[in-house]
């Protein structure tokens, strides 16, 4: 009969295997490789002759490939083992770019009577990229104004009501500004005007996500977007510059809290209307 030797190692000295996390391509699954410190989102997991590998993309768009070794990564500060995803699909809930849990197979809801207006096309494109999935599930349509000066006429034509609330996102909404005076004139029980402090929505994207130390200061009287391109040494093509900035936004983590809070506030206001 074989003798049995009990394991007398104290529990606190026993090594605990790192939890396994499926390496699903997901912009919200950001990990750090422990030996190099490279941090990035999982974009690919492949089987190679040397073993399974994972490809990470950092905030500058740089890709690096690493082997899937036990305890080789940090996720939210904890050591984990990335493993190849199962054929059945993700083992963890996927999330939208806004951080909400995605609803598999959810269909876009019939549009509400309520709306959210933003100042311009760039604002609308940024809101769509981060909150688009959420807005479709809630049935909220986002439209853009030609400018803040048009807001009183837009509100009058829209005719806000308890079952058709209107939310408005305004750039550079600071005390004493023209924007603040217009906002005060149209605000009511069924109209919410929320704003961020930035001169332009570009500034609501974190500089680190764009790969710059900070957004430059542009002299008063100079077109802000053109001035930014000039200060950063970019070609003075503001349309192309914006597409680059927008491409660097993957999730809500790439945006400043001052914008995040206002958009979430507007969505809550509009969806609390009587047409829910």
């Amino acid at each position: 009969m074989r003798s049995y030797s009990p394991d007398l190692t104290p529990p606190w000295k026993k090594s605990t295997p790192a939890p396994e996390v499926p390496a699903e391509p997901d912009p919200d699954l950001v990990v750090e490789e422990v030996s190099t410190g490279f941090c990035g989102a999982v974009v690919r997991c492949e089987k190679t002759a040397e073993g399974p590998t994972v490809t990470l993309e950092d905030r500058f768009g740089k890709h690096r490939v690493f082997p899937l070794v036990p305890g080789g990564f940090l996720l939210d500060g904890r050591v984990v083992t990335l493993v190849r995803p199962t054929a059945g699909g993700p083992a963890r809930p996927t999330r939208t770019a806004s951080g909400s849990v995605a609803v598999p197979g959810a269909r876009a809801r019939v549009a509400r009577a309520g709306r959210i207006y933003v100042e311009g096309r760039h604002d609308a494109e940024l809101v769509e990229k981060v909150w688009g999935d959420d807005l479709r599930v809630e049935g909220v349509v986002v439209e853009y104004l030609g400018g803040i000066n048009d807001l009183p006429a837009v509100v009058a034509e829209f005719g806000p009501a308890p079952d058709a609330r209107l939310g408005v996102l305004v750039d550079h909404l600071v005390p004493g500004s023209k924007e603040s005076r217009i906002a005060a004139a149209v605000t009511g029980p069924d109209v919410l005007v929320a704003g961020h402090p930035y001169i332009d929505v570009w500034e609501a994207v974190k500089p680190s996500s764009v790969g710059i130390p900070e957004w430059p200061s542009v002299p008063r009287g100079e077109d802000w977007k053109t001035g930014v391109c000039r200060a950063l040494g970019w070609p003075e093509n503001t349309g192309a510059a914006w597409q680059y900035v927008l491409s660097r936004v993957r999730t809500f983590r790439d945006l400043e809290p001052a914008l995040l809070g206002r958009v979430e506030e507007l969505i809550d206001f509009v969806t609390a209307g009587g047409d829910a």
Side-chain angles (χ1 to χ4, degrees):
M1 177 181 297
R2 297 179 58 184
S3 61
Y4 171 71
S5 298
D7 183 359
L8 300 179
T9 305
W12 58 88
K13 289 189 176 182
K14 293 181 179 180
S15 60
T16 303
E20 295 185 347
V21 176
E24 293 282 353
D26 183 347
D28 201 38
L29 179 54
V30 178
V31 298
E32 178 182 339
E33 203 277 328
V34 295
S35 64
T36 63
F38 186 88
C39 185
V42 174
V43 296
R44 190 180 309 110
C45 187
E46 298 175 301
K47 181 179 180 181
T48 71
E50 291 75 28
T53 63
V54 63
T55 302
L56 305 182
E57 181 183 32
D58 71 6
R59 65 177 183 269
F60 304 113
K62 181 180 180 180
H63 286 197
R64 288 190 63 177
V65 181
F66 299 99
L68 295 184
V69 298
F73 300 87
L74 295 177
L75 175 61
D76 295 331
R78 296 179 57 206
V79 176
V80 298
T81 297
L82 292 184
V83 296
R84 291 185 66 199
T86 60
R92 69 190 199 104
T94 57
R95 293 184 177 271
T96 66
S98 72
S100 302
V101 176
V103 182
R107 295 184 178 180
R109 173 181 169 147
V110 174
R112 293 173 179 266
R115 292 287 188 275
I116 291 177
Y117 278 84
V118 297
E119 277 204 65
R121 181 170 57 83
H122 293 178
D123 305 67
E125 289 176 346
L126 185 60
V127 169
E128 162 61 28
K129 185 160 188 180
V130 177
W131 289 274
D133 290 337
D134 301 12
L135 292 167
R136 279 182 283 278
V137 169
E138 295 290 350
V140 178
V141 175
V142 174
E143 300 183 22
Y144 63 86
L145 306 164
I148 188 66
N149 293 332
D150 299 329
L151 184 56
V154 168
V155 173
E157 182 179 356
F158 184 82
D163 61 347
R165 286 182 159 188
L166 180 62
V168 184
L169 180 68
V170 177
D171 297 340
H172 199 231
L173 189 62
V174 296
S177 65
K178 174 189 72 174
E179 290 82 1
S180 66
R181 292 191 292 272
I182 294 175
V186 300
T187 297
D190 300 312
V191 179
L192 174 63
V193 180
H196 56 74
Y198 309 112
I199 295 175
D200 191 277
V201 78
W202 290 24
E203 279 192 295
V205 181
K206 291 180 178 178
S208 58
S209 297
V210 183
I212 59 177
E214 62 183 358
W215 288 105
S217 177
V218 177
R220 184 181 295 273
E222 182 178 352
D223 178 72
W224 190 86
K225 294 183 177 73
T226 302
V228 165
C229 292
R230 187 175 297 133
L232 294 175
W234 294 352
E236 293 181 23
N237 181 334
T238 58
W242 167 244
Q243 289 307 312
Y244 169 73
V245 172
L246 185 63
S247 74
R248 310 318 300 160
V249 176
R250 298 181 183 84
T251 74
F252 70 98
R253 291 189 176 90
D254 295 306
L255 302 181
E256 298 287 359
L259 176 67
L260 293 173
R262 302 296 75 75
V263 175
E264 297 286 352
E265 184 180 4
L266 290 170
I267 294 174
D268 290 343
F269 177 79
V270 172
T271 56
D275 64 338

